[in-house]
Amino acid sequence: MATPVRLGVNIDHVATVRNARGGVHPDPVRAAREALAAGADGITAHLREDRRHITDSDIEALSRLCAEAGRPLNLEMAVTDEMLAIALRHRPHAACLVPERREEVTTEGGLAVAGQEARIEPVVKALADAGMRVSLFVEPSRAQIEACHAVGAQVVELHTGRYCHLEGDDRAVEFERLQAAATLAFDLGLEVHAGHGLDYVTAPHMLAIPEVRELNIGHFLIGEAVFTGLTSAIHRMRAAMDAVP
């Protein structure tokens, strides 16, 4: 029997709602605890440079929670000295390097690793030397996958946002790009993850790519939780993933 694809739940936007009014409610750490109880295999959180949702104290509390639960925390982070220092202080199970621009609403694309190897490779090495599993969030292109391998990453997370927003023949072409990138990454010895924009329909589509071992889903699940509750939303996502042959 094949090993089930892991589900990482991103709880950033619980913090977005909290920060809209200040205070402590709703608590992203409580959301993480509920997500783990509901069947999430791990928790993902993005500490942005402007702290627009997750904060430093959230990362500290999430690190404790995941350590106590024996489940991985995946810290999404920009390639900056500040974020590297924070990651080295907390030493989460995994660190995923992502692009970041102050003016964007959310992450708009993959990290441009190709052409920036000299800047990214030392950060990857520092994280890996500290015992973290290093992932790079990239577009599904040969150049980016080969660059991820060159800088020493252990994991690539393929950006699925474009796939999720396309339809018809355009979506089919993008799926082929994702499949080709996943196959190349696997052949190079990289573990393959996928994420961004996935929902109950598109998440199972990613499982048709046999190299994919983990999906990271956040905004959609937190949105669904408004209507059905977080536990129910995660149960439904897990069921949709498990239904894929």
Side-chain angles (χ1 to χ4, degrees), residues 6-234:
R6 298 185 298 273
L7 172 61
V9 174
N10 185 313
I11 45 78
D12 289 352
H13 295 300
V14 176
T16 300
V17 176
R18 175 197 62 193
N19 296 354
R21 292 189 66 174
V24 298
H25 180 78
D27 180 8
V29 179
R30 178 183 174 187
R33 185 179 296 109
E34 185 168 326
L36 293 173
D41 295 292
I43 297 300
T44 293
H46 182 179
L47 182 65
R48 295 185 68 107
E49 291 181 272
D50 61 9
R51 309 311 199 262
R52 69 176 63 171
H53 38 60
I54 293 297
T55 65
D56 298 72
S57 60
D58 292 330
I59 293 299
E60 184 174 346
L62 289 167
S63 296
R64 288 197 303 269
L65 171 67
C66 289
E68 291 167 1
R71 307 292 267 283
L73 173 64
N74 176 34
L75 173 63
E76 293 185 340
M77 53 179 276
V79 186
T80 68
D81 290 342
E82 180 197 22
M83 291 301 152
L84 175 59
I86 291 169
L88 292 176
R89 183 163 67 249
H90 292 290
R91 300 198 179 197
H93 170 79
C96 182
L97 303 182
V98 301
E100 192 170 311
R101 294 189 305 119
R102 293 294 178 90
E103 63 270 26
E104 68 189 0
V105 175
T106 186
T107 304
E108 296 173 342
L111 181 66
V113 183
Q116 298 190 72
E117 291 91 344
R119 181 172 76 97
I120 293 172
E121 184 173 9
V123 177
V124 172
K125 185 178 188 305
L127 293 167
D129 286 350
M132 282 167 267
R133 192 161 172 77
V134 185
S135 174
L136 301 181
F137 181 73
V138 295
E139 295 296 324
S141 77
R142 172 174 288 274
Q144 296 302 334
I145 300 302
E146 290 177 343
C148 290
H149 178 254
V151 301
Q154 297 153 296
V155 181
V156 293
E157 181 168 338
L158 300 178
H159 178 228
T160 55
R162 178 176 168 79
Y163 175 82
C164 293
H165 287 100
L166 292 172
E167 297 179 353
D169 291 344
D170 291 335
R171 175 176 276 193
V173 170
E174 185 66 12
F175 184 85
E176 291 176 0
R177 290 182 69 228
L178 288 161
Q179 173 67 83
T183 299
L184 175 60
F186 180 82
D187 289 345
L188 291 173
L190 299 167
E191 184 169 299
V192 181
H193 300 176
H196 201 81
L198 298 172
D199 58 23
Y200 295 138
V201 174
T202 53
H205 291 178
M206 293 303 106
L207 274 60
I209 301 174
E211 294 86 0
V212 171
R213 302 311 315 144
E214 179 174 307
L215 300 181
N216 283 298
I217 306 174
H219 184 267
F220 176 77
L221 287 174
I222 302 308
E224 282 295 291
V226 172
F227 303 103
T228 68
L230 186 57
T231 295
S232 176
I234 292 172

